[in-house]
Amino acid sequence: MMHNGKLYWPDTYQKMNYNDEIAKNYDVVIIGGGMSGALTAFRVAEAGYHTLLVDKDTIGSASSAANTGLMQYMSDKLLHECVKDFGPLEAYYFYKASKEGLEDIERLSTLLDSRVNFITRDSLFIASTKRHKEKIKDEFDALKYFDFPVEYISDEQLKGEYGIDKYNALITHEDAEINPFVFVNEIVKYAHNKYQLDVLENTELIQYKKENNQVICEFKNKTIATNKLVMTTGYAKNKITKKYINREQFVASYAVVTQPIQESQFWKDKVMIWESARPYLYIRHVPGNRVLIGGLDETTDKIPNEKHIQKQGNRLIKAFNKLYPEIKLEIEYAYGARFGETKDGKPFIGKIDEDLEVYGLYGYGGNGTVYSSFGSKLLLDMIEGKYNPLSEIFKLKR
Ligand SMILES: Cc1cc2nc3c(=O)[nH]c(=O)nc-3n(C[C@H](O)[C@H](O)[C@H](O)COP(=O)(O)OP(=O)(O)OC[C@H]3O[C@@H](n4cnc5c(N)ncnc54)[C@H](O)[C@@H]3O)c2cc1C
């Protein structure tokens, strides 16, 4: 499993189980039913392809159940840092794709059960140290230059309006919070009921090979042929894709969800809060007036144990109380999970295997949800043989 401890989102929703009759041949087979696989399955099935979505466990049960559901167009790698590393055009297209990915999730949420809880929110991005004040200013200038919806917040405003006694900050508008577990399950259910999408749970892909211009997927008890195979196996250490996806860095990340607090105790506009330090602390409201706090990432590929999760949970509360000492919180849910990032800060999206119709979508990074969203669209273009310039930016071999 990708996580340990007590998760919050699965307690909010009863997922559907699938009992589909599985064909011998599909247009597209997708391996991995998390955020990336669910969105890809939706896109591909909506475009009219006979599609199969397979998961070795159940839909949404891996890191997408641990996802804390903050969606922002800003990435962990700031826009001005992307400009320095990738040049202005590529940096701009990366951020634009993220913004559009978020807008697509908003559109899709309107088709789904209201428990998806897509809520448009501002994000408050604060300087963690005095030294980072310059970083905040540079980021504001970069975002403003490219016309992203951003506002500069001075030290005085941060204290006066948001009650945080730190340095300067940014507000980014048009971000959002979501219940990712419900979203993943609902989008799969929607596509399953409306299009030609079959779903197969508790079935692990062991290997694939080429045969007669098709890809043959081998599972424990069955073999399925497909014209295109898409791998969306998340942070699973997967021997199949290990040789291609070799530049990830795994960390353990922690989160707590508290017992409900009074509506009047919330900070201004219930903004999502994060900071310039790496790794960063982040905070959001959860429907039902709970508070979610996450962070304290540690470099390890091990899934943390219960005792350590409790310790990190208490540290998260302490970190929150440094910002808001007057808000008393009680932990109700605490968990730790594996999380992955790429060295250059961009997700991997594209062809995995030059000689085979095998593609991958690995939305590594704190902004994984929006990467899964624009990545699923990019993959559909690739599957349909349409040239999309974004494919150069996110290709696997770089
Ligand atoms: C604690 C935490 C907080 C996070 N918070 C945020 C956040 O606030 N905002 C954000 O945007 N992102 C966040 N993320 C990142 C986000 O969770 C990921 O980007 C997202 O879940 C990745 O989705 P995925 O579909 O790639 O992977 P997963 O959800 O892990 O799905 C992969 C699936 O593949 C299946 N699988 C693997 N191997 C096989 C195989 N061989 N055969 C069949 N099935 C297989 C697994 O069972 C799994 O269900 C967070 C992550 C963590 C851990």
Side-chain angles (χ1 to χ4, degrees), residues 2 31-37 54-71 203-206 219 231-236 238 240 253-255 282 335-339 361-370 372:
M2 292 293 106
I31 306 294
M35 186 62 80
S36 303
V54 186
D55 200 287
K56 69 182 167 67
D57 294 310
T58 53
I59 300 301
S61 62
S63 61
S64 296
N67 182 340
T68 45
L70 291 87
M71 291 187 298
T203 305
E204 181 168 7
L205 179 74
I206 310 294
F219 304 92
M231 300 293 288
T232 51
T233 49
Y235 310 133
N238 195 300
I240 306 167
S253 191
Y254 300 86
Y282 58 94
Y335 58 87
R338 181 184 291 161
F339 176 69
L361 169 49
Y362 290 89
Y364 292 151
N367 235 10
T369 309
V370 300
S372 297

